[in-house]
Amino acid sequence: MKLAYWMYAGPAHIGTLRVASSFKNVHAIMHAPLGDDYFNVMRSMLERERDFTPVTASIVDRHVLARGSQEKVVENIARKDKEERPDLIILTPTCTSSILQEDLQNFVDRAALESESDVLLADVNHYRVNELQAADRTLEQVVRFYVEKARKQNNLATALTPRPSANIIGVFTLGFHNQHDSRELKKLLQDLGIDVNEVIPEGGSVTRLRNLPKAWFNIVPYREVGLMTAHYLERELGMPFVSTTPMGVVDTAAFIREVEGILTQRAPQTSPGESVSLNGSLVNFEDYIEQQTRFVSQAAWFSRSIDCQNLTGKKAVVFGDATHAASMTKILAREMGIRVSCSGTYCKHDADWFREQVQGFCDEVLITDDHTHVGDMIARIEPAAIFGTQMERHIGKRLDIPCGVISAPVHIQNFPLGYRPFLGYEGTNQVADLVYNSFTLGMEDHLLEIFGGHDTKEVITKSLSTEGGLVWAPDGLAELTKIPGFVRGKIKRNTEKFASDNNISKITLEVMYAAKEAAGA
Amino acid sequence: MSTALAEPLTFECETGNYHTFCPISCVAWLYQKIEDSFFLVVGTKTCGYFLQNALGVMIFAEPRYAMAELEEGDISAQLNDYKELKRLCLQIKQDRNPSVIVWIGTCTTEIIKMDLEGMAPQLEAEIGIPIVVARANGLDYAFTQGEDTVLAAMAHRCPSLEKGSRVEPRAEGTLVENLLRFAKPNAPLPLSHGEVAKLSQPPLVLFGSLPSTVATQLTMELKNQGISVAGWLPAQRYIDLPALGEGVHVCGVNPFLSRTATTLMRRRRCKLVGAPFPIGPDGTRAWIEKICSVFDIQPQGLEEREAAIWAGLEDYLELVRGKSVFFMGDNLLEVSLARFLIRCGMIVYEIGIPYMDKRFQAAELELLERTCHEMGVPLPRIVEKPDNYHQIQRIRELQPDLAITGMAHANPLEARGISTKWSVEFTFAQIHGFTNSRDILELVTRPLRRNESLQSLGWTSLVKSSGN
């Protein structure tokens, strides 16, 4: 047992549901007790989703405990099959169902016989993997299922597209700025003359998964989700993949060069005469990188500008998922000259990769999923700014240190309506803004130092001293203090107005309530 | 409008495939209510994730609740439950020193049959802090019923009102005071203003967790009728729990407290006052009248008070009159709210509700029926354990002016042009008593007022295929 107040990564079934509900026309059925469908709330609220989240529960209640699910799960699958006609139904185990040890695979097999949809059991163990690992596995499982199915039916599309093309793997619902990143990646590929073959799982359709092999290569923008799928496709179909995250000027260039390498390697052997825009030897993106870096992205110029000079050597702490924390550490240290005192991740399963990535870019590395350790580390280091998750933002608030949010877990404000990618060249601009705004602005900082801090004189208050003869009785005053601070002033004014209108000189508890009833809140 | 007036209320039961909060969410408001408590939820990451996300920022204000997160070793019994819980509870004692630790049993502890009730007394003796066990799990309960399980468990911990101290009708005031004070040393004096006529009133204990402001308001409403409230379950502090015993009258303030009511009657031998719940001015008046009638008191000035409240609501009533409502059901407040809204002039199509205790809610149901007749509207259908999928089909057909629903369905319905109000807000807002009637309508009318201001823009339906 572990005393826990907060966790960075959610339980396994959340990962499965995120993948399932990202695909079009895929329905997930959770084998879970009442109340475990909280995922629907998160998706509906955080993503402001317009459609009903395609997740329902096959409820585990007392009867199920006593006699087993029996026909219930199979019936629920059959019912969903008829109601929604999904392409695929994924039965999702939860922590509850994994201890019940019912033979869910058997339910799935039986249901598959009768339903028109395909039916799968998500292969995740609740007590061994977290949300991110489960998402990675589920995506691979779905892809493998449909590639194998296509092979059996002999309709796997194996011929490469005439023009170079790529699949983007791992963009999905409730991902940190994933929608914006996806758009930015597509734009980047378009600039490079590369078509987008399929994007999975977000907005993808499982019936189109048989087309995955048509792409020349795969792109896995995030470390956490998609690598298993990419490895599978490489192993089975020989598809190469790029797993460098194009975040920051340097890594975006590295990403493009990797793409270039793959195109040169794949181009000649495919369509010798046909390749329109591309002929192996002609692939050269260096000019593009040069142009983008120097003039389109403002980040390279920003790092030369005197604003950024003021950030030199300032201490920062970075914490988040492996992808974003590693990229951010490199951007801060390599591209902006900021001193990263500590860089850390909660992706404990990927600790080795993380250490290797940030080596040389930070003073120390912290691998933990205990937020109190992170809090202690921040308190000890006292950085000028934090780049972390919502948890670090709250730690920062407590310690009065500014924080830029760079990674999930996130709140609704991290699902902005405006265009805010973290990847690609526009992403470098966004990150530069985020960094710059997180540190106290350079000149402000300078002036504060010269003048010894902010003006501390009492602010002149707006309240007028016209409380003409009104007295607050002790019970009224006590009640007033119970009212939350942000409305207390208003309630006080309303009550006093009510009292003076009614010629009451002493404000008691009764008067307060009467005022509320009269004024209407 | 005049159809179906003679028909009795009908109850239906669907599949129970509906969205609601897990009952462990009750820790969110109970830990704030009971100031010296600590809530330990014994469960898995799933429970923790729910609490963390559902309770949003509250988690960062050094909450007095935590997860005892079960790991694989706990599930497979490689670790000793007792030792593990002892370790965590000692840590809690050291860090927070609460007056009571409440263990919340979850689905997982049910399934692996962790004997929390058995371990609690033993551990309690060992560490010297009372441990209350409540099984607020999703296998058995929905949302607000979590509070019910906690209060039912707490009812056992209330001090006893000794049988000998039973208030005799003509007993001397000071003696009664002393006896009651003896029973619960920290509680406020039960008698006020020296209203000697009311000395004969047996102690009245109200149950249900309300913000202290609302509790004070209700207490005052009763005081105005000469009825003193001997205590509340729960009190602001665990050590102030009210004395219970034979001759104590109890009355609920919320419709989801049926287990607590049963426990108070059967185990603590209290007398239950079955009344409608003090939600809305009509409910509040009926609630006070019922309590008065039990104590043989003629209520004073209630009618005028109710009328004054209604008059104050007129601007909101104008907005809601004739509009229709559909309750999808998730927090058990539905019947009381529907009854109030019908009195406001609305038409209720359906009252979805997770669980319907017809005995505990008898007076409320009767008032609902009467209200429908008086307002000349057909009786709504009451659907227990609703099926959200079917409900959405019905909402599409009926096109109600307002759907009161959980957050999982609110945005998708809004996108389809159906105005919604999140039901959870009714649980957290102050909705009890005369004073707060306006707050209920403030919530109900918010989508209507918002729509008024957006009406001319012409983008009510915002999904691509208008078919669904």
Side-chain angles (χ1 to χ4, degrees):
Chain A
M1 262 178 232
K2 195 165 83 177
L3 197 60
Y5 295 90
W6 210 81
M7 63 183 84
Y8 283 101
H13 71 269
I14 298 286
T16 299
L17 297 180
R18 282 175 64 187
V19 168
S21 56
S22 296
F23 277 114
K24 270 190 212 136
N25 215 22
V26 171
H27 199 100
I29 295 183
M30 300 165 69
H31 190 236
L34 197 64
D36 271 4
D37 58 353
Y38 191 71
F39 174 77
N40 297 28
V41 176
M42 290 178 58
R43 188 151 182 275
S44 171
M45 296 308 295
L46 297 180
E47 292 262 38
R48 294 183 199 87
E49 185 55 57
R50 299 170 197 220
D51 283 313
F52 293 100
T53 303
V55 173
T56 42
S58 174
I59 304 280
V60 175
D61 56 13
R62 274 288 148 191
H63 300 290
V64 172
L65 273 200
R67 299 178 321 207
S69 294
Q70 296 186 330
E71 297 301 316
K72 201 172 182 181
V73 175
V74 180
E75 275 164 17
N76 276 319
I77 295 176
R79 180 183 153 186
K80 231 0 107 184
D81 178 48
K82 289 204 183 64
E83 281 169 0
E84 312 252 330
R85 296 259 162 245
D87 297 320
L88 169 68
I89 293 175
I90 298 183
L91 182 61
T92 310
T94 59
C95 59
T96 310
S97 68
S98 43
I99 0 175
L100 282 177
Q101 300 194 325
E102 285 192 277
D103 190 357
L104 295 179
Q105 186 60 51
N106 175 36
F107 295 150
V108 163
D109 294 342
R110 274 165 52 203
L113 290 179
E114 283 165 32
S115 56
E116 283 179 34
S117 328
D118 296 313
V119 189
L120 274 181
L121 172 66
D123 176 26
V124 288
N125 179 326
H126 228 271
Y127 294 91
R128 306 245 166 111
V129 295
N130 67 21
E131 172 184 358
L132 299 169
Q133 293 163 294
D136 201 11
R137 273 160 196 268
T138 305
L139 184 58
E140 192 253 5
Q141 194 188 357
V142 172
V143 168
R144 180 156 33 96
F145 178 81
Y146 280 98
V147 167
E148 278 168 17
K149 187 179 173 190
R151 269 195 179 146
K152 260 183 226 148
Q153 295 175 343
N154 243 339
N155 62 2
L156 190 67
T158 42
L160 291 191
T161 51
R163 278 162 53 83
S165 63
N167 298 318
I168 300 175
I169 300 176
V171 177
F172 69 151
T173 190
L174 292 173
F176 184 73
H177 292 243
N178 274 14
Q179 311 275 16
H180 310 292
D181 285 347
S182 163
R183 199 171 127 195
E184 183 65 19
L185 275 177
K186 285 179 194 163
K187 187 177 160 288
L188 180 62
L189 291 177
Q190 194 189 7
D191 284 355
L192 300 177
I194 299 169
D195 293 338
V196 176
N197 186 48
E198 297 288 336
V199 180
I200 58 167
E202 185 62 51
S205 157
V206 288
T207 54
R208 295 178 57 89
L209 289 178
R210 61 179 199 85
N211 293 328
L212 281 179
K214 280 162 70 180
W216 292 28
F217 65 105
N218 293 318
I219 293 171
V220 184
Y222 311 108
R223 179 84 198 154
E224 286 73 25
V225 176
L227 270 186
M228 277 183 81
T229 311
H231 281 297
Y232 167 78
L233 291 171
E234 185 185 46
R235 206 167 54 234
E236 288 293 314
L237 302 160
M239 296 180 76
F241 67 89
V242 181
S243 64
T244 300
T245 303
M247 184 169 154
V249 178
V250 177
D251 276 354
T252 304
F255 169 87
I256 295 174
R257 290 194 183 103
E258 264 187 71
V259 170
E260 183 183 305
I262 285 177
L263 291 191
T264 348
Q265 166 206 331
R266 284 217 111 181
Q269 71 202 22
T270 52
S271 42
E274 228 177 75
S275 104
V276 198
S277 65
L278 196 100
N279 143 350
S281 57
L282 273 182
V283 186
N284 188 340
F285 295 142
E286 286 306 323
D287 286 351
Y288 176 76
I289 295 174
E290 178 86 0
Q291 187 70 15
Q292 292 286 325
T293 305
R294 291 174 55 191
F295 302 110
V296 176
S297 161
Q298 302 294 319
W301 158 234
F302 169 72
S303 59
R304 292 291 311 187
S305 72
I306 50 166
D307 276 332
C308 194
Q309 221 176 67
N310 282 339
L311 301 182
T312 307
K314 288 218 170 174
K315 280 197 292 186
V317 160
V318 179
F319 196 84
D321 64 18
T323 304
H324 289 91
S327 298
M328 202 63 200
T329 305
K330 287 187 275 183
I331 292 173
L332 292 174
R334 188 162 61 185
E335 298 176 18
M336 295 180 179
I338 290 162
R339 178 178 190 127
V340 181
S341 301
C342 182
S343 171
T345 181
Y346 56 83
C347 296
K348 283 158 89 175
H349 59 279
D350 215 7
D352 294 340
W353 177 85
F354 185 79
R355 281 205 189 84
E356 188 195 313
Q357 288 294 306
V358 299
Q359 201 178 31
F361 295 113
C362 61
D363 299 342
E364 57 179 302
V365 175
L366 179 68
I367 311 283
T368 181
D369 56 4
D370 184 339
H371 76 274
T372 54
H373 289 170
V374 181
D376 290 346
M377 176 267 291
I378 293 173
R380 171 171 55 82
I381 291 176
E382 288 185 59
I386 311 167
F387 297 94
T389 69
Q390 279 293 338
M391 188 70 223
E392 282 69 49
R393 196 171 72 86
H394 284 273
I395 295 171
K397 259 193 202 165
R398 214 159 51 195
L399 301 172
D400 205 18
I401 301 171
C403 177
V405 176
I406 55 148
S407 156
V410 285
H411 283 178
I412 193 153
Q413 66 259 45
N414 302 112
F415 291 89
L417 302 175
Y419 188 48
R420 299 270 155 72
F422 270 64
L423 304 187
Y425 285 109
E426 177 55 29
T428 61
N429 293 338
Q430 297 290 339
V431 171
D433 275 343
L434 182 77
V435 171
Y436 186 54
N437 292 334
S438 297
F439 285 99
T440 317
L441 298 181
M443 190 48 86
E444 186 191 349
D445 197 28
H446 187 57
L447 292 176
L448 282 176
E449 215 164 276
I450 291 175
F451 296 117
H454 279 288
D455 194 353
T456 50
K457 260 176 248 142
E458 290 266 312
V459 184
I460 300 162
T461 53
K462 273 187 196 159
S463 76
L464 301 169
S465 49
T466 51
E467 286 172 14
L470 282 173
V471 184
W472 281 79
D475 61 343
L477 212 53
E479 188 67 18
L480 193 65
T481 57
K482 285 189 208 160
I483 293 163
F486 59 97
V487 286
R488 197 179 296 145
K490 184 182 162 207
I491 300 221
K492 184 162 180 273
R493 275 196 304 279
N494 286 349
T495 311
E496 284 171 354
K497 183 168 180 299
F498 173 83
S500 62
D501 287 353
N502 290 281
N503 290 324
I504 300 168
S505 58
K506 190 173 182 186
I507 300 177
T508 59
L509 206 51
E510 282 89 347
V511 177
M512 279 190 75
Y513 295 152
K516 186 181 179 198
E517 282 159 26
Chain B
M1 283 286 152
S2 58
T3 53
L5 281 194
E7 282 172 28
L9 278 172
T10 52
F11 298 89
E12 288 169 46
C13 187
E14 284 189 318
T15 62
N17 267 311
Y18 63 99
H19 164 75
T20 182
F21 272 16
C22 175
I24 60 172
S25 52
C26 68
V27 306
W29 63 88
L30 287 177
Y31 93 83
Q32 292 191 329
K33 174 72 194 177
I34 309 171
E35 288 166 357
D36 51 353
S37 63
F38 191 98
F39 285 78
L40 184 68
V41 182
V42 189
T44 60
K45 245 182 163 33
T46 307
C47 315
Y49 197 65
F50 164 71
L51 282 180
Q52 169 175 328
N53 283 296
L55 308 181
V57 288
M58 270 195 264
I59 202 113
F60 300 105
E62 293 277 316
R64 275 174 287 104
Y65 68 79
M67 292 291 309
E69 194 183 314
L70 300 170
E71 291 165 304
E72 201 163 13
D74 299 301
I75 305 298
S76 52
Q78 284 164 2
L79 296 169
N80 181 310
D81 297 337
Y82 185 80
K83 280 190 193 148
E84 291 293 300
L85 280 169
K86 183 177 162 189
R87 183 170 59 80
L88 299 192
C89 288
L90 282 173
Q91 197 182 329
I92 293 165
K93 184 183 177 185
Q94 192 199 328
D95 295 351
R96 310 292 179 95
N97 197 26
S99 310
V100 61
I101 297 178
V102 184
W103 286 352
I104 304 286
T106 62
C107 305
T108 312
T109 57
E110 287 297 307
I111 296 171
I112 62 174
K113 301 202 166 37
M114 194 183 277
D115 183 18
L116 295 176
E117 278 95 344
M119 285 186 280
Q122 220 179 324
L123 192 56
E124 185 173 316
E126 212 172 327
I127 68 170
I129 295 180
I131 296 175
V132 173
V133 180
R135 302 179 178 197
N137 60 68
L139 294 168
D140 301 305
Y141 305 110
F143 197 9
T144 48
Q145 286 179 292
E147 175 182 323
D148 193 21
T149 62
V150 174
L151 296 190
M154 289 241 169
H156 291 283
R157 301 303 184 106
C158 294
S160 286
L161 195 64
E162 291 303 319
K163 217 179 171 189
S165 71
R166 166 86 175 82
V167 185
E168 295 301 325
R170 259 175 244 94
E172 212 174 312
T174 51
L175 175 64
V176 178
E177 277 180 25
N178 288 341
L179 281 171
L180 289 176
R181 231 193 305 194
F182 180 71
K184 43 180 189 59
N186 288 304
L189 282 182
L191 298 180
S192 50
H193 292 314
E195 287 165 284
V196 192
K198 304 298 155 352
L199 275 180
S200 58
Q201 179 214 316
L204 170 69
V205 169
L206 302 177
F207 60 96
S209 161
L210 292 178
S212 65
T213 322
V214 183
T216 318
Q217 286 163 0
L218 288 181
T219 307
M220 269 175 40
E221 295 291 353
L222 290 174
K223 201 178 82 184
N224 290 341
Q225 303 298 336
I227 297 169
S228 61
V229 175
W232 281 79
L233 171 67
Q236 203 68 24
R237 301 174 65 78
Y238 176 76
I239 51 172
D240 293 344
L241 282 179
L244 297 175
E246 210 164 341
V248 173
H249 283 68
V250 292
C251 186
V253 297
N254 267 321
F256 44 77
L257 297 170
S258 54
R259 272 177 73 90
T260 310
T262 314
T263 311
L264 290 171
M265 282 190 295
R266 296 209 183 133
R267 309 296 298 272
R268 305 306 308 260
R269 315 214 148 270
C270 301
K271 273 207 184 63
L272 179 70
V273 181
F277 301 99
I279 293 171
D282 50 340
T284 309
R285 179 180 164 194
W287 182 73
I288 296 172
E289 279 175 348
K290 183 63 200 263
I291 295 175
C292 285
S293 77
V294 170
F295 295 136
D296 268 335
I297 292 170
Q298 194 63 42
Q300 302 294 321
L302 268 189
E303 209 174 323
E304 297 77 33
R305 182 133 167 75
E306 192 196 347
I309 296 287
W310 282 117
L313 299 177
E314 190 49 42
D315 51 341
Y316 278 165
L317 294 179
E318 262 171 43
L319 284 172
V320 300
R321 254 182 221 122
K323 299 251 167 50
S324 54
V325 196
F326 191 107
F327 283 89
M328 285 186 77
D330 74 344
N331 59 13
L332 285 95
L333 294 171
E334 291 87 1
V335 174
S336 310
L337 288 173
R339 177 259 303 150
F340 167 61
L341 293 182
I342 291 171
R343 176 62 71 188
C344 290
M346 298 185 88
I347 299 152
V348 176
Y349 288 143
E350 174 165 330
I351 304 177
I353 187 166
Y355 169 73
M356 181 77 239
D357 185 333
K358 285 181 207 160
R359 274 172 39 188
F360 183 59
Q361 295 221 41
E364 183 63 82
L365 287 169
E366 199 191 299
L367 183 58
L368 170 71
E369 230 169 321
R370 203 167 69 226
T371 305
C372 287
H373 291 176
E374 283 170 14
M375 300 301 291
V377 293
L379 290 167
R381 52 192 279 178
I382 297 183
V383 181
E384 216 182 333
K385 289 171 146 243
D387 184 300
N388 280 166
Y389 184 84
H390 296 323
Q391 284 186 314
I392 288 182
Q393 312 296 322
R394 294 199 286 271
I395 286 179
R396 264 181 209 161
E397 252 164 58
L398 295 163
Q399 294 285 318
D401 295 308
L402 183 68
I404 296 183
T405 175
M407 291 194 264
H409 296 112
N411 267 339
L413 284 172
E414 287 283 354
R416 282 155 186 79
I418 304 277
S419 298
T420 59
K421 184 80 224 123
W422 305 338
S423 51
V424 178
E425 285 190 71
F426 292 100
T427 325
F428 294 123
Q430 306 191 347
I431 60 169
H432 292 77
F434 286 124
T435 319
N436 298 308
S437 306
R438 201 177 170 85
D439 294 38
I440 311 178
L441 283 181
E442 163 73 25
L443 288 178
V444 170
T445 56
R446 195 174 295 157
L448 304 173
R449 283 177 285 135
R450 196 268 318 263
N451 291 352
E452 222 165 56
S453 52
L454 297 184
Q455 205 142 44
S456 59
L457 299 173
W459 54 55
T460 41
S461 180
L462 290 161
V463 278
K464 277 181 185 150
S465 55
S466 57
N468 51 348

